[in-house]
């Protein structure tokens, strides 16, 4: 009787620092008083791309009022086409910082190269490494030398194991403040932009002590799927969410169809607080 | 400037009877007083395979006590290997019927051929068409001639559109009592058995009036993922769940590693009732 | 250091009768004097669907003249939509038989249910089980009781191992005349209808003694890819090809865009004979 | 009747400079007298990673003797684990240059960051951008400012269109010397490391004037699949191949199981010359 070996697994990678075996307790990261991981729920919201002062400040105030705990905004945009809007770069970072100062929210923005790492690091509180760079190893190593937390998104065709190996790259350079992010994987399905893999949240919580959040905006590409999948993520055990919000999605320069309006975000936040409280109560009952 | 056409979509299929355009109101199916669809939550539970009287009755009583609204059990098992246990066939159906009678629960069992359709139809209340038969068109047509509801599972590599086209096959033969079931799709990820696609639930609710439930057991293949993903499914808007429960998973003849213990199922049910109530309250608030 | 187990492989299936360990020598199947397997090259050609006498006979004569060794034509068509042309059924089988008799070519046609197995078996020389039925186990078992060879196509999301397990189903019932067929798998790529997996041909030749052919028509869905991929298949070691040919693809009722014109098929055949001869010469050199 | 739109295609990217519409004639790149593209066959061979002088020089001489037209060797290695061998870096580049000088073969090596671009550019004749960096846009832009040709590998989950968009990034910065490389895509199949997509070669030749070669080593991960798939690639119309060759694969520091022995490579080269000649003859017959 014959069983096939899995040839593509001959040389399986291994992770150590990121594993539960290495550290049993959940990692909790503190950014200007906002805690990520463990029993804390982190909601990162803001526009896909920073477009101008009015857009950034208006959206920032709205998400703050709704209860978001961090502010996002893209200044360096990785775009499939060289002819698409590539972001405001340093000008955008300044606007994000300004919006963060006004609202007293820590900020998150994507860094897409080692060359621009210093400048992004200077302006923001958490540096995001995007899905296309999950295996950009020089960038991971540079992130490992930073003193600031890194938000590492799963590659669109990366296994859970490869995601944890990418975290290991950052940690092996000395930076243990890594937040993972499930953002949908590429499958044969064409109705949604990607396929959200919520079981990855459970797998990461079992295998690793690192916090993991979910990005429902990129996972689906559809604004009307964000609310239900955000709630599903929190109930599943995600440590938080990253959600694209725009004060007027119809005029967004980037990803308008998957952006939430500020009113809808406000409504969603109330739900998330309720579900997260319920989730924690239940967890405590089980512990006792 | 050049944009590629999608060659694999040249002859796009179309669905009509299954569409929201055709029928705006949710379809609600009534099986011996148990309602499926709309605001009702249907929980189908029971063993993967029916093994013997003790196992079937014990498990049936336990899931009934916990609050399940329907009873499942496999009598004809589609197995990858011809040398694996293929099910008790009619003997199994008798045990399922007996268990259904004792617990007063409607029953669901899989039918794998037109030849055995009549016999399964005679014993059970809902006939399941499994993932490997989602495009077994003669079987779909036979199901379309039945007076009993059909539980149609998504093919492991079927698009949402193909799932709805398969429902259309059944409906076009006259049987409009179709319940859809998301059970995970095949992706590159090897950590879970399949990848649960919760966005499919949202897509189906938008595109169709048919009820859609979720099978978290086959989606993940891991018993400790069932509770969180069941809750996530209900919060996302699924009309119910199908869950494999065994009174003693360690000795199950089939799918033991993904079966829930009866105690864990009991605990889960309380949570599901709570979340479903919350979901409905919220829906009513929005309506008002 | 941690390496993830592959949960989705816990209960790996096993094949025996289909394995090289069980039988070292290539299986060679003889259908009315036409040999399939080993050093023989089998070219099965004909229309996707049988439409009428003129179309069937005209195409049959043309593919015979070009050097095809078998004739194909669909009488029972598995279609994604219930509203698409479903085939001429028995009427089509009669036309196929007539065309086979005129051209003295053995015939191949798809069987889609156990109920219609007998009738297809009565008219054709080889029965095809299509991609959507690769795990239709009752159909596989019925095929295993036939005296005629079975052409088994790989499921669109089936692993190589599952393909061999499906062959094992047929063989375990007593029919060892199984011809496998790689026809493209479903991936994220949308430019082609499927993605042709030529490494599957190599894997099957290593793991099994059964012949394996390639269907480039369904693999790509594009007529201008058929010639190069047919040649590539023969050079890779496939035992033959199944190609959709239509005397006038523009008016085909099914799969016109992926059908070859008879002239182009004629040109292709000359190339295939040359490459196959070359392939054999080389093999003999290595043996000596 | 309802047909689903493809949501994940809302904002389709576009390519221009890379398109056949923009330039009808095949691009032919000249590197130290070796031509790539059009009717030329380019065979790039050498070790996965440069390990030491003896290994590099021995392998270089062997592949030269066999007929390779270019020499490859990795000095900066992108590895899934931070604990795996990461390459000899500049020391490796010196050995590669030395081996190129001795054998009079142009050299190819991977560049993995903008920071190390200058140093790789100084030593090698063609710079490779690997599968994990296909959408590393800062790296693509830097490559676009180079005077040397760029070998751009397809991302493991990149569509054909995204590959051409990545080439467009390089070209839009001024460097029109881009060679594309199909190296297998990630699918559900676990028997091979990736799934080689030969239809991508045909698609690229139709859509673009840029040369495209195939890497069968990474596509399959299995040394015994390299010969047949190399031949299949040339017959399909690929402009060449990149093959991992090691003088002693058993002791390779990286990718030993998918490396060809020098003897086997020698044998393969004779076959490739024969098939390429045949391919060209045929092409000329069709033209005349």
């Amino acid at each position: 009787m014959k069983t096939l070996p899995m040839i593509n697994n001959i040389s399986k990678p291994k992770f150590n620092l990121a594993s539960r075996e290495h550290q049993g307790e959940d990692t909790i990261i503190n950014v200007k008083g906002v805690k990520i991981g463990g029993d804390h729920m982190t909601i990162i919201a803001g526009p896909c791309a920073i477009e101008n002062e009015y857009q950034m400040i208006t959206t920032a105030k709205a998400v703050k009022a709704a209860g978001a705990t961090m502010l996002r905004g893209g200044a360096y945009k990785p775009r499939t086409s060289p002819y698409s809007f590539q972001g405001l770069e340093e000008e955008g970072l300044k606007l994000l910082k300004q919006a963060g100062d006004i609202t007293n929210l820590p900020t998150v923005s994507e860094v897409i190269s080692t060359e621009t790492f210093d400048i992004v690091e200077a302006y923001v509180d958490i540096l995001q490494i995007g899905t296309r760079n999950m295996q950009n190893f020089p960038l991971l190593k540079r992130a490992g030398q930073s003193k600031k937390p890194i938000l590492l998104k799963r590659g669109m065709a990366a296994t859970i194991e490869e995601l944890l190996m990418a975290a290991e790259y950052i940690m092996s350079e000395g930076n243990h403040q890594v937040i993972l992010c499930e953002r949908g994987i590429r499958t044969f399905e064409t109705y949604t932009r990607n396929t959200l893999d919520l079981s990855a949240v459970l797998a990461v919580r079992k295998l690793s002590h690192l916090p993991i959040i979910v990005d429902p905006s990129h996972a689906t590409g559809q604004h009307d799927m964000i609310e239900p999948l955000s709630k599903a993520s929190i109930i599943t055990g995600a440590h938080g969410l990253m959600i694209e919000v725009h004060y007027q999605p119809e005029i967004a320069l980037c990803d308008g169809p998957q952006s939430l309006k500020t009113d809808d975000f406000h409504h969603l936040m109330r739900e998330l607080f309720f579900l997260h409280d319920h989730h924690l109560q239940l967890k405590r009952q089980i512990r006792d």
Side-chain angles (χ1 to χ4, degrees), chain A residues 195-219:
Chain A
T195 299
L196 179 62
D197 177 12
L198 279 187
S199 52
V201 172
L202 298 167
V204 165
R205 291 205 66 152
K206 184 155 65 176
L207 299 165
S208 177
H209 51 86
L210 295 173
I212 177 159
I213 68 171
V214 169
D215 171 353
S217 308
H218 286 89

Side-chain angles (χ1 to χ4, degrees), chain A residues 6 21 23 26 50 56 65 76 80 82 96 110 124 134 155 159-160 162 185 193 220 226 228 244 246 253 257 260 262:
Chain A
M6 296 209 147
E21 281 75 10
Q23 180 187 316
D26 280 5
I50 303 159
M56 192 63 236
Y76 294 88
T80 304
L96 179 61
E110 182 166 354
V124 307
M134 193 202 84
T159 63
I160 294 164
E162 288 168 338
I185 56 175
R193 185 167 169 178
T220 64
I226 292 173
E244 289 184 354
H246 196 285
L253 292 181
L260 221 54
T262 48

Side-chain angles (χ1 to χ4, degrees), chain A residues 185-256:
Chain A
I185 56 175
R186 188 161 270 194
T187 70
F188 62 84
E189 177 60 68
T190 55
Y191 184 72
T192 43
R193 185 167 169 178
N194 293 285
T195 299
L196 179 62
D197 177 12
L198 279 187
S199 52
V201 172
L202 298 167
V204 165
R205 291 205 66 152
K206 184 155 65 176
L207 299 165
S208 177
H209 51 86
L210 295 173
I212 177 159
I213 68 171
V214 169
D215 171 353
S217 308
H218 286 89
T220 64
Q222 299 191 53
H223 63 91
D224 57 357
M225 290 190 173
I226 292 173
E227 188 215 307
L229 293 180
S230 292
K231 290 155 66 178
S233 301
I234 294 303
I235 278 293
T236 300
H239 293 98
L241 295 157
M242 179 151 71
I243 300 175
E244 289 184 354
V245 179
H246 196 285
Y247 77 102
Q248 209 176 338
E250 317 81 62
I251 61 163
L253 292 181
C254 173
D255 281 351

Side-chain angles (χ1 to χ4, degrees), chain A residues 9 12-15 158-166 207:
Chain A
N9 277 309
K12 296 268 289 174
K14 291 166 189 72
F15 54 96
T159 63
I160 294 164
E161 186 165 296
E162 288 168 338
L163 173 61
L164 291 168
M165 289 304 306
L207 299 165

Side-chain angles (χ1 to χ4, degrees), chain A residues 165-184:
Chain A
M165 289 304 306
E168 187 83 12
Y169 256 96
I170 298 170
M171 298 174 84
S172 68
E173 295 285 326
N175 186 352
H176 288 212
Q177 299 184 89
V178 180
I179 304 151
L180 303 172
C181 182
E182 158 62 29
R183 47 76 71 202

Side-chain angles (χ1 to χ4, degrees), chain A residues 66-126:
Chain A
T69 55
M70 291 200 198
L71 190 61
R72 63 150 286 150
Y76 294 88
K77 301 297 303 170
R79 302 300 297 271
T80 304
S81 165
Y83 310 121
S84 301
F85 173 57
Q86 309 267 323
L88 294 184
E89 306 193 347
E90 187 170 1
E91 187 56 33
L93 294 174
K94 284 179 185 169
L95 295 175
L96 179 61
K97 187 171 167 27
Q98 185 188 343
D101 289 345
I102 289 170
T103 53
N104 199 28
L105 290 174
T107 57
V108 185
S109 198
E110 182 166 354
V111 56
I112 61 171
S113 70
T114 49
E115 282 172 325
T116 52
F117 201 99
D118 290 358
I119 195 164
V120 181
E121 198 178 28
Y123 283 102
V124 307
D125 299 306
I126 296 182

